[in-house]
Amino acid sequence: MRHGLVLAARGGFGAIIGWFIRVVIYDICITAISDILHVPRMVALFIFLGILGVVAFVGYLMQQKYASNSDVED
């Protein structure tokens, strides 16, 4: 019973369904990379993770740039 309360507090089945949707989207992306580049799925997974890492790093750099610009105006 307690497990059900934890699920309800975190969003319940909507959170689980959202997690499954993300997994399916990631799987489609990895499969597409594998098919396009003719590489094994494990290699496609690392390529996908590398792309996500680059996107996160660029987002971090942009955040730092714009955060430092707002401090100068004070």
Side-chain angles (χ1 to χ4, degrees):
M1 182 67 179
R2 183 174 174 91
H3 189 301
L5 293 175
V6 172
L7 278 178
R10 293 187 179 177
F13 291 110
I16 294 172
I17 291 171
W19 184 81
F20 279 118
I21 290 171
R22 284 187 203 98
V23 169
V24 169
I25 290 171
Y26 295 153
D27 185 56
I28 290 170
C29 292
I30 292 167
T31 303
I33 292 170
S34 176
D35 289 344
I36 291 170
L37 299 179
H38 304 291
V39 295
R41 286 181 58 85
M42 186 62 74
V43 174
L45 173 65
F46 285 117
I47 292 170
F48 181 70
L49 291 175
I51 292 169
L52 287 180
V54 168
V55 168
F57 184 70
V58 169
Y60 172 77
L61 289 178
M62 290 178 63
Q63 180 185 16
Q64 293 301 314
K65 177 182 176 184
Y66 292 120
S68 64
N69 286 342
S70 65
D71 290 341
V72 173
E73 293 176 8
D74 288 340

